[in-house]
Amino acid sequence: HALAMFALWNRISSLGVENQPIGERRRIRLTNQGAVIGIVSCLGFIVGYLIAGPRFFVPMLANVVVSAFLVIALVLNGRKHHTQARCALLLSVNLGVLFASAMLGRQVGYHYYFFLFGMVSFLLFEEQRTLKWTFASLSAVCCVAVVSVASDEGYFDIMPQLARGLSAGSAIAVTGTVMLIVHLFTRETTLAEASLAKEHARSEKLLLNILPLAISTRLKAHGDPIADGFANVTVLFADLVGFTELSQRLSPQNLVRMLNHIFSAFDDLAEGFGIEKIKTIGDCYMVAAGLPAPRGDHVEVMARMALRMRDTLERINTEHGYALRIRIGLHTGPVVAGVIGKSKFIYDLWGDTVNTASRMESSGTEQHIHITKAVHEHLESSFVTEARGAITVKGKGEMETYWLLREKA
């Protein structure tokens, strides 16, 4: 039964919160919860008046009317008329308590409720200044009217002990309700902040999957285009040979699954070596070492990356029955790196070094790592290379290039 009541409470509290901002969602739930608390209170008074006898018919009827308006507030919230729902809630409870105080007198202490209603006005209309002060003023005027105008005894002869009990009960009820509302409101705030923090963390993670940490920090701080020059960077391009033919035989789902499997393995290698993945273009994979933080071993670490990529693809071919080969090209030199444009940001590289690395890949052969003389000169002491000789490279003319074979023992 307790679980069923809790589920019902949550269901009613959530009326009309769909697709609302976090702050508005909190106010909608508080309106619903306040209406439910008010309805339960009114039902308690209705039962009490029925027990007391026919002479309390008018106060009982007043509580029925207030309950009806509170139900209307729930219906309005459910239909997304949130401002009208809050007005119905606060107007009905203020006027209902004002009428009850006039009927029963100051002795029952109902005027304590106006302090509660004033506080709720600030919570429900925190972004609607006019309505916030209007209903807070209404509660203050009602309280002053009861204290200064209403008689002590009212229109009913109530025993002093009962009057004192009702007054104490009103004070306890107001205090308890304030504590409950503050608890519910702060709980909603805490949940909203936790949800916001979770979304922020997810957004940050997604951003870091697109941009390096240092670059994303600068972009968030300033928002201006970012362009940095680096004197020593090694760029690698890798292309999957046989992918086009294979793509004609695979379903779109299997094709993407295969490409994701291979490139995710390459991503793991890049992360392990501390190399910056730049982008993928179809079945072409591009990484760079030596940026955004410069490092002295950028050529050597990129050579190891290239060798491991080739070995990794061989393993994936064996495990999954693929017949893909890889063609890799490397070059080292200065580049310009940065982020430009207004949407779909990417950390990209420009310059002759990038173009030359791309030409090394396209003019290479499958299962070979094609490197320029500049890369060879950096690697000859710690890696085994083989001269390919002079070749004509598109856009570059004749170049002396090499094959990277393996790392020396």
Side-chain angles (χ1 to χ4, degrees), residues 220-238:
K220 287 186 293 184
H222 306 291
D224 298 325
I226 294 174
D228 299 312
F230 296 90
N232 297 292
V233 171
T234 301
V235 180
L236 177 152
F237 280 89

Side-chain angles (χ1 to χ4, degrees), residues 55-56 104 107-108 153 156-163 166:
R55 66 194 186 103
F56 288 95
L104 301 177
Q107 60 184 338
V108 296
E153 294 78 15
F156 298 94
D157 185 17
I158 300 176
M159 292 185 297
Q161 297 88 341
L162 178 60
L166 288 172

Side-chain angles (χ1 to χ4, degrees), residues 238-311:
D239 186 68
L240 297 178
V241 182
F243 177 80
T244 303
E245 294 80 0
L246 186 60
S247 66
Q248 296 172 358
R249 304 196 304 268
L250 294 177
S251 67
Q253 293 79 9
N254 288 333
L255 180 68
V256 172
R257 187 180 298 115
M258 178 192 69
L259 199 59
N260 180 67
H261 190 180
I262 295 169
F263 282 176
S264 293
F266 291 170
D267 289 346
D268 291 338
L269 290 176
E271 184 177 0
F273 283 117
I275 292 171
E276 191 66 40
K277 175 185 176 182
I278 304 302
K279 60 186 173 182
T280 58
I281 310 167
D283 60 340
C284 184
Y285 190 87
M286 178 185 178
V287 287
L291 54 75
R295 56 187 297 176
D297 63 343
H298 56 94
V299 183
E300 291 81 2
V301 76
M302 189 63 85
R304 296 188 186 98
M305 172 75 177
L307 292 168
R308 288 289 301 277
M309 289 173 70
R310 187 175 61 184
D311 295 341

Side-chain angles (χ1 to χ4, degrees), residues 69-121:
F69 273 95
L70 295 176
V71 171
I72 290 172
L74 290 174
V75 173
L76 289 171
N77 246 356
R79 295 184 178 181
K80 306 296 180 66
H81 302 301
H82 304 307
T83 299
Q84 294 89 327
R86 292 164 197 163
C87 292
L89 169 68
L90 289 172
L91 192 62
S92 61
V93 294
N94 274 288
L95 296 182
V97 172
L98 178 64
F99 179 80
S101 298
M103 291 291 99
L104 301 177
R106 290 194 301 265
Q107 60 184 338
V108 296
Y110 287 171
H111 52 281
Y112 299 142
Y113 285 97
F114 294 118
F115 296 99
L116 169 64
F117 302 154
M119 180 197 74
V120 172
S121 300

